[in-house]
Amino acid sequence: MSSPAVLPISNPQPAAAVPAAANSGQPQPPIATPAFRALINHLSNSLNNGLSQRRPWAELADRSAFSKPESLSDAALRVRKNYSYFRVNYLTVVAAVVAFSLITNPVSLIFLAALLAAWLFGYLFRPSDSPVVLFGRTFSDRETLGILIVLSVVVIFLTSVGSVLISALLAGVAVVCVHGAFRVPEDLFLDEQENASTGFLSFLGGAASNVAAAAAPAVASRV
């Protein structure tokens, strides 16, 4: 008697290897830059910390505390003392004046927003392996930086953006100076620790350092 025929048996490949091979040829989706997320977090934390130090607005607008200064030196002293106490409120007022000026000038707002977006997504937080390609030409990082600098000069100095920002800042500072000159600061008490940290640069120093720390890795990779 002849032996029964032996059927060939094939071992199937693991199913997990098939999707991996299939996915290797597919383009990877864009990945959000961690530095950009860090920048947003830093800005949000700095804004929250700064607003937590503001004084009550009712105290800022107390009518019984207003009087005419006796001299120009008295007005300057009042401005200095009131700014040390109401610095966050004053900066909020200046920011509100600038925002209102930009909103009432939509063309300047569009130009400024486009310039900011070009710096953020075109250079600072653009992936290093994704060069800028315009009209079929690939631009290097140095060329991109030069174009952005020239574009910034054109937008700020050759359009209405610069005049709108300067006029808004001057108007906001004028409002702050008038309020500080007529607000009597005798009823205001400022701790020594708070007094040591007053000033525009010291208030913005934390936010600026956070932004620089968030953007440093992206900038360093292009140098």
Side-chain angles (χ1 to χ4, degrees), residues 123 125-131 141 218 221-222:
Y123 185 78
F125 301 108
R126 175 175 54 83
S128 57
D129 57 347
S130 300
D141 291 335
S221 62
R222 305 181 187 281

Side-chain angles (χ1 to χ4, degrees), residues 6-221:
V6 179
L7 298 177
I9 299 176
S10 61
N11 295 327
Q13 297 293 331
V18 176
N23 292 334
S24 60
Q26 296 179 355
Q28 298 295 330
I31 302 175
T33 308
F36 182 73
R37 294 197 300 267
L39 173 64
I40 298 301
N41 293 332
H42 284 315
L43 289 178
S44 177
N45 294 334
S46 299
L47 182 61
N48 292 332
N49 292 334
L51 292 179
S52 64
Q53 301 175 11
R54 70 180 183 274
R55 306 298 179 179
W57 291 102
E59 186 177 5
L60 183 75
D62 186 8
R63 295 183 179 180
S64 61
F66 286 88
S67 67
K68 183 179 179 180
E70 298 178 356
S71 61
L72 186 60
S73 60
D74 183 33
L77 181 61
R78 287 186 180 185
V79 171
R80 204 159 47 242
K81 288 183 178 180
N82 284 320
Y83 176 76
S84 299
Y85 189 81
F86 293 113
R87 66 184 184 278
V88 178
N89 301 74
Y90 284 161
L91 292 175
T92 304
V93 170
V94 173
V97 172
V98 173
F100 178 78
S101 299
L102 289 175
I103 292 175
T104 54
N105 293 272
V107 176
S108 299
L109 179 60
I110 293 174
F111 282 160
L112 190 61
L115 180 62
L116 180 61
W119 272 102
L120 290 178
F121 301 105
Y123 185 78
L124 292 178
F125 301 108
R126 175 175 54 83
S128 57
D129 57 347
S130 300
V132 176
V133 179
L134 293 176
F135 305 106
R137 185 181 186 278
T138 302
F139 293 87
S140 63
D141 291 335
R142 291 186 178 181
E143 292 175 337
T144 303
L145 178 60
I147 293 174
L148 288 174
I149 292 175
V150 173
L151 183 62
S152 300
V153 173
V154 171
V155 170
I156 294 176
F157 295 103
L158 299 182
T159 65
S160 60
V161 174
S163 60
V164 169
L165 290 178
I166 293 175
S167 60
L169 288 174
L170 291 177
V173 172
V175 172
V176 169
C177 290
V178 170
H179 179 274
F182 284 87
R183 175 65 162 82
V184 180
E186 274 71 15
D187 60 334
L188 306 180
F189 298 96
L190 189 66
D191 297 337
E192 294 182 358
Q193 183 177 2
E194 294 179 340
N195 194 18
S197 62
T198 57
F200 183 77
L201 295 179
S202 62
F203 174 74
L204 297 180
S209 60
N210 289 336
V211 172
V219 176
S221 62

